[in-house]
PDB file of all heavy atoms in Angstrom:
ATOM      1  N   ALA A  22     -20.504   7.044  -0.490  1.00 95.00           N
ATOM      2  CA  ALA A  22     -20.926   8.471  -0.781  1.00 95.00           C
ATOM      3  C   ALA A  22     -21.195   9.160   0.487  1.00 95.00           C
ATOM      4  O   ALA A  22     -21.773   8.613   1.497  1.00 95.00           O
ATOM      5  CB  ALA A  22     -22.095   8.428  -1.602  1.00 95.00           C
ATOM      6  N   PRO A  23     -20.964  10.556   0.615  1.00 97.00           N
ATOM      7  CA  PRO A  23     -21.277  11.226   1.833  1.00 97.00           C
ATOM      8  C   PRO A  23     -22.730  11.660   1.728  1.00 97.00           C
ATOM      9  O   PRO A  23     -23.366  11.730   0.708  1.00 97.00           O
ATOM     10  CB  PRO A  23     -20.393  12.468   1.687  1.00 97.00           C
ATOM     11  CG  PRO A  23     -20.223  12.644   0.266  1.00 97.00           C
ATOM     12  CD  PRO A  23     -20.275  11.312  -0.380  1.00 97.00           C
ATOM     13  N   PRO A  24     -23.421  11.961   2.910  1.00 97.00           N
ATOM     14  CA  PRO A  24     -24.644  12.481   2.883  1.00 97.00           C
ATOM     15  C   PRO A  24     -24.514  13.874   2.234  1.00 97.00           C
ATOM     16  O   PRO A  24     -23.450  14.435   2.147  1.00 97.00           O
ATOM     17  CB  PRO A  24     -25.079  12.673   4.401  1.00 97.00           C
ATOM     18  CG  PRO A  24     -23.790  12.621   5.046  1.00 97.00           C
ATOM     19  CD  PRO A  24     -22.789  11.797   4.281  1.00 97.00           C
ATOM     20  N   PRO A  25     -25.701  14.432   1.728  1.00 97.00           N
ATOM     21  CA  PRO A  25     -25.547  15.775   1.123  1.00 97.00           C
ATOM     22  C   PRO A  25     -25.066  16.912   2.081  1.00 97.00           C
ATOM     23  O   PRO A  25     -25.371  16.826   3.280  1.00 97.00           O
ATOM     24  CB  PRO A  25     -27.028  16.166   0.634  1.00 97.00           C
ATOM     25  CG  PRO A  25     -27.877  15.074   1.421  1.00 97.00           C
ATOM     26  CD  PRO A  25     -27.082  14.041   1.895  1.00 97.00           C
ATOM     27  N   PRO A  26     -24.033  17.725   1.618  1.00 97.00           N
ATOM     28  CA  PRO A  26     -23.559  18.755   2.420  1.00 97.00           C
ATOM     29  C   PRO A  26     -24.571  19.734   2.670  1.00 97.00           C
ATOM     30  O   PRO A  26     -25.702  19.956   2.029  1.00 97.00           O
ATOM     31  CB  PRO A  26     -22.399  19.363   1.670  1.00 97.00           C
ATOM     32  CG  PRO A  26     -22.735  19.015   0.292  1.00 97.00           C
ATOM     33  CD  PRO A  26     -23.584  17.800   0.219  1.00 97.00           C
ATOM     34  N   PRO A  27     -24.424  20.533   3.739  1.00 97.00           N
ATOM     35  CA  PRO A  27     -25.447  21.617   3.974  1.00 97.00           C
ATOM     36  C   PRO A  27     -25.431  22.511   2.744  1.00 97.00           C
ATOM     37  O   PRO A  27     -24.432  22.726   2.145  1.00 97.00           O
ATOM     38  CB  PRO A  27     -24.836  22.484   5.188  1.00 97.00           C
ATOM     39  CG  PRO A  27     -23.769  21.641   5.649  1.00 97.00           C
ATOM     40  CD  PRO A  27     -23.368  20.583   4.698  1.00 97.00           C
ATOM     41  N   PRO A  28     -26.619  23.133   2.367  1.00 97.00           N
ATOM     42  CA  PRO A  28     -26.586  23.843   1.211  1.00 97.00           C
ATOM     43  C   PRO A  28     -25.804  25.019   1.178  1.00 97.00           C
ATOM     44  O   PRO A  28     -25.520  25.594   2.353  1.00 97.00           O
ATOM     45  CB  PRO A  28     -28.149  24.366   1.017  1.00 97.00           C
ATOM     46  CG  PRO A  28     -28.691  24.192   2.377  1.00 97.00           C
ATOM     47  CD  PRO A  28     -27.854  23.130   2.996  1.00 97.00           C
ATOM     48  N   PRO A  29     -25.225  25.588   0.053  1.00 96.00           N
ATOM     49  CA  PRO A  29     -24.407  26.808   0.134  1.00 96.00           C
ATOM     50  C   PRO A  29     -25.090  27.921   0.685  1.00 96.00           C
ATOM     51  O   PRO A  29     -26.362  28.058   0.480  1.00 96.00           O
ATOM     52  CB  PRO A  29     -23.996  27.037  -1.353  1.00 96.00           C
ATOM     53  CG  PRO A  29     -24.385  25.819  -2.019  1.00 96.00           C
ATOM     54  CD  PRO A  29     -25.378  25.148  -1.297  1.00 96.00           C
ATOM     55  N   ARG A  30     -24.500  28.816   1.469  1.00 97.00           N
ATOM     56  CA  ARG A  30     -25.164  29.955   2.029  1.00 97.00           C
ATOM     57  C   ARG A  30     -24.806  31.194   1.311  1.00 97.00           C
ATOM     58  O   ARG A  30     -23.679  31.806   1.525  1.00 97.00           O
ATOM     59  CB  ARG A  30     -24.868  30.091   3.520  1.00 97.00           C
ATOM     60  CG  ARG A  30     -25.549  31.204   4.213  1.00 97.00           C
ATOM     61  CD  ARG A  30     -25.263  31.220   5.680  1.00 97.00           C
ATOM     62  NE  ARG A  30     -26.142  32.093   6.425  1.00 97.00           N
ATOM     63  CZ  ARG A  30     -26.167  33.327   6.451  1.00 97.00           C
ATOM     64  NH1 ARG A  30     -25.246  34.116   5.792  1.00 97.00           N
ATOM     65  NH2 ARG A  30     -27.072  34.035   7.235  1.00 97.00           N
ATOM     66  N   ILE A  31     -25.609  31.503   0.296  1.00 97.00           N
ATOM     67  CA  ILE A  31     -25.289  32.759  -0.570  1.00 97.00           C
ATOM     68  C   ILE A  31     -26.442  33.722  -0.419  1.00 97.00           C
ATOM     69  O   ILE A  31     -27.530  33.434  -0.678  1.00 97.00           O
ATOM     70  CB  ILE A  31     -25.178  32.239  -2.031  1.00 97.00           C
ATOM     71  CG1 ILE A  31     -24.047  31.210  -2.219  1.00 97.00           C
ATOM     72  CG2 ILE A  31     -25.090  33.526  -2.930  1.00 97.00           C
ATOM     73  CD1 ILE A  31     -22.623  31.889  -2.409  1.00 97.00           C
ATOM     74  N   VAL A  32     -26.090  34.863   0.285  1.00 96.00           N
ATOM     75  CA  VAL A  32     -27.190  35.894   0.439  1.00 96.00           C
ATOM     76  C   VAL A  32     -26.706  37.093  -0.152  1.00 96.00           C
ATOM     77  O   VAL A  32     -25.721  37.839   0.134  1.00 96.00           O
ATOM     78  CB  VAL A  32     -27.272  36.123   2.023  1.00 96.00           C
ATOM     79  CG1 VAL A  32     -28.455  37.122   2.277  1.00 96.00           C
ATOM     80  CG2 VAL A  32     -27.480  34.834   2.715  1.00 96.00           C
ATOM     81  N   ILE A  33     -27.375  37.501  -1.225  1.00 97.00           N
ATOM     82  CA  ILE A  33     -26.947  38.665  -2.056  1.00 97.00           C
ATOM     83  C   ILE A  33     -27.822  39.861  -1.732  1.00 97.00           C
ATOM     84  O   ILE A  33     -29.060  39.774  -1.858  1.00 97.00           O
ATOM     85  CB  ILE A  33     -27.023  38.344  -3.617  1.00 97.00           C
ATOM     86  CG1 ILE A  33     -26.117  37.104  -3.928  1.00 97.00           C
ATOM     87  CG2 ILE A  33     -26.670  39.537  -4.347  1.00 97.00           C
ATOM     88  CD1 ILE A  33     -26.391  36.625  -5.295  1.00 97.00           C
ATOM     89  N   PRO A  34     -27.177  40.860  -1.126  1.00 96.00           N
ATOM     90  CA  PRO A  34     -27.956  42.071  -0.794  1.00 96.00           C
ATOM     91  C   PRO A  34     -28.463  42.869  -2.008  1.00 96.00           C
ATOM     92  O   PRO A  34     -27.769  42.874  -3.093  1.00 96.00           O
ATOM     93  CB  PRO A  34     -26.928  42.907   0.061  1.00 96.00           C
ATOM     94  CG  PRO A  34     -25.673  42.474  -0.370  1.00 96.00           C
ATOM     95  CD  PRO A  34     -25.776  41.045  -0.893  1.00 96.00           C
TER      96      PRO A  34
END
Side-chain angles (χ1 to χ4, degrees):
Chain A
R30 186 179 195 280
I31 299 277
V32 185
I33 302 171

